[in-house]
Amino acid sequence: MTSIMVLNGPNLGRLGSREPDIYGSQTLADIEQGLHKALPTDITLDFRQSDDEATLIGWLQEAADSRTPVIFNPAAFTHYSYALRDACQIVAETGTPLIEVHLSNPHARESFRHTSVISGAARGVIAGFGDQSYHLALSHILTLLERH
Ligand code: DQA
């Protein structure tokens, strides 16, 4: 069965109580549930969160090896993790789509958030639409999968 990985970086496990004025009141589990509802029955969602850079790198390498499309919210690592950028590039080199997503619009926030070191290795970036950022990414990946 075809699988799609949804990877979430540091502090996203605190959604719901973390800065709700910026990130909304949904928990990460709520977002996962919403995505499950939007999935065709023949596709599975592999939804994960880690605060640890090395763990995220391992998951990205796993996605590259298994050619599993990735929806990735790198959270604060977005802005400075060259190691995650390189891991995203490993995914990209296999031709596997990886879409960077953000709940908020980092460009409308503090200046340190205006830079993404990840974007250059992503197929595309969707930011600023809350949980809909994940849904839009999912919709694009489903379109790609149907074309195969
Ligand atoms: C975020 C934006 C990042 O700047 C921030 O560090 C996060 C969440 C977002 O989804 O809006 O943790 O990636």
Side-chain angles (χ1 to χ4, degrees), residues 18-125:
R18 176 190 175 202
E19 300 185 87
D21 44 322
I22 293 172
Y23 298 116
S25 57
Q26 282 198 316
T27 64
L28 200 58
D30 293 334
I31 294 176
E32 179 179 5
Q33 249 182 30
L35 289 174
H36 273 292
K37 285 187 191 145
L39 265 192
T41 48
D42 58 333
I43 299 199
T44 59
L45 209 65
D46 189 354
F47 195 98
R48 308 180 191 183
Q49 188 274 329
S50 178
D51 294 337
D52 178 48
E53 191 178 26
T55 301
L56 291 162
I57 290 168
W59 289 344
L60 288 163
Q61 292 176 358
E62 189 187 325
D65 290 341
S66 58
R67 308 288 194 269
T68 304
V70 182
I71 297 168
F72 187 27
N73 186 345
F77 285 140
T78 306
H79 313 301
Y80 66 93
S81 175
Y82 299 126
L84 276 177
R85 155 68 180 248
D86 286 349
C88 290
Q89 191 61 41
I90 290 169
V91 176
E93 274 166 13
T94 66
T96 306
L98 179 149
I99 301 178
E100 177 186 342
V101 298
H102 300 282
L103 295 152
S104 67
N105 174 3
H107 298 284
R109 301 179 62 195
E110 303 98 315
S111 57
F112 76 87
R113 296 184 204 275
H114 297 178
T115 299
S116 168
V117 300
I118 303 293
S119 299
R123 187 71 68 91
V125 184

